[in-house]
């Protein structure tokens, strides 16, 4: 059991070695650049904001309070004030079109009063020849 | 699923694979250190067969230090190096017979890499030309002191890279007594 | 209901962040520094320094975590605060795990010392963080370009 575990770990070691040997030359230079700016940034913090924790406590409180305010006003799951113009326009369009749930589109087609054949805008029925006044 | 979401998923998998690989190598590297250091036989400095020759009239000194390393870990040992400093302690006439320590030897010897699962034997040589004594020292030593008149101590540092170079280790033994005259 | 759900999620994740970035490390370090008689000891630890910066960056990370996790899913503000949070996490890890130094020295009493240099490992971890930052920037662009579609889907839910 121990030998199987060791063999398994060796296989894992070989696989991860292969992955890292391939990716290391790509990732290491990026890491060097990251270390540079992180060192500069932490040095800036140490030089200018390293006296007491008050600044950090204030930032924490401001972040929490502002998050509460912002996410209550704009929760994102319903139209807030920012969307009201868009919804108004949509309702306007619906009024113009005059779409009603009760209306049946079949009733809108013009039919011949004699034979009932659909005539559209024509004045004479193409089936029975009756004049549509 | 939007194409952008698919790209994001692939990128995240790539990041996860990289993070997992580094973490796995770190863990296995630590495990290897435990495996190697747990058995004393894996790092043997053969002090019994070590030779230290010293001539009190000419101060000619040379030594050989055999040692063996057994790499029972999961990764190759790379950039292996042995660094030795030797200090001479003696009773100094110019310092009112106080004991002083001076460095007389300082040498680093690079060694071959050791692939995982293999054993290597090395010998560290210190020739007379590697030692540096001030010519005046022979007159400063209080030869009438109660023995040992001269004591040689060493700082031994073994340094190596492990886990594909992610970890660089150095182990230093300080003030290790190697020889006393007479 | 969405706002309440977001707030609750924000508080939960902030609690987790406070636990893992502040409570546990501070407790561990305080305990470690108070233990005597260990067979080895740290040489270059500046106790006050480490605890101060752990707390400072931990507070920042927790604050930004609240803003991020209380924001709606795939929203632009969530993307922006997620990006800032990754950067703060980099600073936190730098001050915490690596104490600004990549060489760790252990004194082995009566024998000598043992030095572990992990600078190469740090470079790779930082490279991974860079990729994460790239991903977060990509998210911001994605959320901005597709914001109408994202909002539609969110309204439907």
């Amino acid at each position: 059991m121990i030998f199987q575990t060791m063999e398994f770990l060796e296989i894992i070691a070989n696989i991860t070695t292969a992955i890292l040997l391939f990716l290391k030359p790509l990732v290491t230079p990026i890491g060097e650049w990251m270390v540079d700016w992180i060192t500069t940034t932490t040095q800036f913090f140490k030089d200018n904001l390293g006296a007491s924790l008050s600044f950090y406590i204030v930032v924490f409180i401001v972040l929490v309070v502002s998050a509460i305010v912002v996410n209550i006003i704009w929760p994102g799951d319903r139209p807030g004030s920012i969307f009201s113009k868009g919804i108004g326009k949509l309702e306007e369009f619906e009024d113009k079109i005059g779409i009603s749930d009760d209306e049946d589109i079949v009733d809108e087609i013009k039919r011949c009063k004699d034979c009932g054949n659909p005539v559209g805008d024509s004045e004479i029925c193409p089936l029975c020849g009756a004049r549509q006044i | 699923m939007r194409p952008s979401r698919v790209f994001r998923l692939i990128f995240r998998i790539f990041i996860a694979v990289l993070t997992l690989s580094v973490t796995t190598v770190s863990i296995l590297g630590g495990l290897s250190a435990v495996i190697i250091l747990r058995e004393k036989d894996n790092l043997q400095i053969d002090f019994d067969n070590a030779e230290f020759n010293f001539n009190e009239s000419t101060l000619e000194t040379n030594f050989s230090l055999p040692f063996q390393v057994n790499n029972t870990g999961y990764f190759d040992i790379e950039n292996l190096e042995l660094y030795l400093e030797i200090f001479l302690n003696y009773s100094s006439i110019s310092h009112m017979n106080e004991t002083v320590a001076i460095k007389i030897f300082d040498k680093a010897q690079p060694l071959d890499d050791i692939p995982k699962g293999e054993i290597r034997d090395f010998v560290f040589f210190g020739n007379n030309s590697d030692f540096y004594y001030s010519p005046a020292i022979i007159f400063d030593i209080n030869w009438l002191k109660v023995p040992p008149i001269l004591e040689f101590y060493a700082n031994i540092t073994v340094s190596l890279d492990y886990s594909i170079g992610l970890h660089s280790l150095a182990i230093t033994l300080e003030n290790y007594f190697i020889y006393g005259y007479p | 209901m969405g706002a309440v759900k977001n707030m609750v999620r924000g508080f939960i994740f902030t609690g987790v962040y406070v636990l893992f970035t502040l409570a546990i490390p501070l407790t561990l370090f305080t305990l470690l520094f108070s233990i005597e008689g260990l067979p080895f000891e740290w040489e270059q630890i500046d106790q006050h320094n480490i605890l101060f910066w752990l707390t400072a960056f931990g507070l920042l990370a927790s604050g930004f975590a609240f803003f991020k996790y209380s924001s709606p899913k795939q929203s632009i503000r969530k993307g922006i605060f997620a990006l800032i949070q990754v950067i703060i996490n980099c600073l936190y890890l730098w001050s915490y795990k690596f104490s600004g130094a990549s060489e760790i020295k252990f004194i082995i009493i009566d024998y000598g010392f043992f030095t572990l240099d992990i600078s190469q490992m740090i470079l790779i971890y930082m490279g991974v963080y860079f990729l994460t930052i790239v991903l977060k920037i990509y998210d911001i662009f994605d959320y901005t370009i597709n914001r109408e579609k994202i909002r539609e889907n969110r309204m439907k839910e």
Side-chain angles (χ1 to χ4, degrees):
Chain A
M1 179 67 185
I2 295 171
F3 287 121
Q4 282 174 341
T5 311
M6 284 180 65
E7 267 181 37
F8 173 70
L9 288 176
E10 270 194 43
I11 294 168
I12 298 287
N14 290 337
I15 294 169
T16 50
T17 302
I19 293 171
L20 276 180
L21 281 174
F22 176 69
L23 292 172
K24 204 172 146 195
L26 302 168
V27 174
T28 304
I30 300 169
E32 283 171 0
W33 172 77
M34 286 283 289
V35 165
D36 280 340
W37 75 256
I38 287 175
T39 309
T40 309
T41 311
T42 46
Q43 196 57 48
F44 170 81
F45 273 94
K46 279 177 187 172
D47 294 339
N48 301 300
L49 300 164
S52 78
L53 283 171
S54 357
F55 168 76
Y56 303 98
I57 295 170
V58 165
V59 168
F60 176 77
I61 293 168
V62 163
L63 282 168
V64 171
V65 168
S66 56
I68 292 170
V69 168
V70 165
N71 289 314
I72 283 173
I73 296 174
W74 295 285
D77 63 339
R78 56 173 172 78
S81 56
I82 202 166
F83 299 110
S84 56
K85 277 187 187 172
I87 292 292
K89 275 191 180 165
L90 202 62
E91 285 168 358
E92 213 180 295
F93 276 124
E94 283 179 8
D95 288 339
K96 277 188 181 170
I97 292 166
I99 292 171
S100 164
D101 291 336
D102 297 332
E103 277 180 1
D104 189 350
I105 197 163
V106 177
D107 294 336
E108 289 180 16
I109 300 172
K110 203 173 167 189
R111 293 183 179 270
C112 174
K113 54 188 183 195
D114 289 343
C115 64
N117 184 53
V119 295
D121 295 327
S122 175
E123 286 185 3
I124 299 169
C125 175
L127 188 66
C128 65
R131 193 178 266 284
Q132 310 298 313
I133 299 166
Chain B
M1 210 187 235
R2 295 201 311 272
S4 58
R5 307 296 290 166
V6 174
F7 169 78
R8 192 165 172 264
L9 184 67
I10 294 168
F11 207 74
R12 272 186 136 180
I13 291 169
F14 174 73
I15 290 173
V17 164
L18 192 53
T19 310
L20 218 65
S21 300
V22 177
T23 309
T24 306
V25 165
S26 301
I27 292 170
L28 288 176
L31 200 60
S32 298
V34 170
I35 291 170
I36 292 172
L37 296 173
R38 190 173 52 188
E39 297 291 329
K40 285 182 186 173
D41 294 342
N42 288 336
L43 277 173
Q44 284 191 66
I45 299 179
D46 191 358
F47 290 110
D48 293 335
N49 289 325
E51 284 184 18
F52 194 92
N53 303 310
F54 174 71
N55 185 321
E56 70 275 13
S57 43
T58 59
L59 297 182
E60 266 187 32
T61 321
N62 60 64
F63 70 91
S64 64
L65 184 68
F67 62 98
Q68 185 186 76
V69 180
N70 182 7
N71 184 6
T72 52
Y74 295 104
F75 301 103
D76 298 347
I77 292 177
E78 297 163 340
N79 297 325
L80 181 61
E81 188 181 88
L82 185 65
Y83 174 63
L84 204 60
E85 293 173 299
I86 297 179
F87 296 85
L88 172 66
N89 286 15
Y90 65 93
S91 176
S92 167
I93 296 170
S94 62
H95 288 84
M96 310 292 281
N97 291 327
E98 270 183 25
T99 303
V100 297
I102 56 166
K103 185 152 62 168
I104 58 170
F105 180 91
D106 185 336
K107 184 179 172 184
Q109 184 173 316
L111 305 164
D112 294 335
D113 294 349
I114 306 175
K116 58 183 176 189
E118 293 191 18
I119 303 174
R120 287 282 188 276
D121 292 301
F122 303 101
V123 183
F124 190 101
F125 290 105
N127 302 316
N128 186 48
S129 55
D130 298 322
F131 284 83
Y132 41 89
Y133 293 99
S134 162
I137 194 177
I138 204 162
F139 303 105
D140 191 32
I141 295 170
N142 178 6
W143 297 99
L144 302 175
K145 180 183 169 284
V146 172
I149 299 166
L150 303 172
E151 291 174 307
F152 295 84
Y153 288 87
N155 289 347
I156 306 168
T157 302
V158 178
S159 60
L160 57 101
D161 288 348
Y162 206 68
S163 311
I164 330 166
L166 290 186
H167 299 122
S168 296
L169 313 166
I171 304 160
T172 303
L173 294 176
E174 285 184 318
N175 290 327
Y176 191 86
F177 178 76
I178 50 175
Y179 182 76
Y181 174 81
Chain C
M1 194 56 201
V4 172
K5 196 174 91 174
N6 287 343
M7 290 303 127
V8 169
R9 189 174 59 212
F11 278 113
I12 290 171
F13 276 94
T14 304
V16 170
Y17 261 81
V18 165
L19 184 69
F20 282 99
T21 64
L22 284 168
I24 292 175
L26 285 175
T27 311
L28 266 172
F29 270 103
T30 310
L31 273 174
L32 207 63
F33 294 139
S34 65
I35 291 173
E36 289 176 12
L38 285 172
F40 59 88
E41 58 187 65
W42 299 88
E43 197 189 67
Q44 82 275 25
I45 298 296
D46 181 354
Q47 182 180 350
H48 175 260
N49 221 15
I50 283 194
L51 292 176
F52 178 87
W53 289 110
L54 267 185
T55 312
F57 288 125
L59 280 169
L60 289 181
S62 303
F64 280 104
F66 181 79
F67 211 121
K68 176 191 164 187
Y69 287 104
S70 60
S71 298
K73 251 186 348 182
Q74 295 180 34
S75 60
I76 297 169
R77 60 180 181 259
K78 180 166 188 168
I80 292 171
F81 279 87
L83 173 64
I84 298 171
Q85 207 201 2
V86 169
I87 295 169
I88 298 289
N89 281 347
C90 287
L91 299 176
Y92 175 81
L93 282 171
W94 185 253
S95 68
Y96 163 42
K97 272 185 187 163
F98 311 125
S99 302
S102 55
E103 199 175 272
I104 305 162
K105 200 170 177 181
F106 298 87
I107 293 175
I108 308 167
I109 295 169
D110 293 337
Y111 281 97
F113 53 89
F114 165 77
T115 313
L116 177 63
D117 186 341
I118 51 170
S119 51
Q120 286 297 311
M121 195 175 75
I122 290 170
L123 291 180
I124 294 194
Y125 269 122
M126 288 300 161
V128 173
Y129 266 104
F130 172 77
L131 295 174
T132 310
I133 288 173
V134 165
L135 192 63
K136 297 297 173 193
I137 293 172
Y138 175 82
D139 278 346
I140 293 172
F141 280 111
D142 179 39
Y143 297 161
T144 308
I145 291 166
N146 297 304
R147 60 184 179 277
E148 295 301 332
K149 203 170 177 183
I150 290 168
R151 279 175 192 158
E152 269 176 41
N153 292 340
R154 211 185 294 134
M155 302 298 171
K156 282 180 195 169
E157 281 171 16

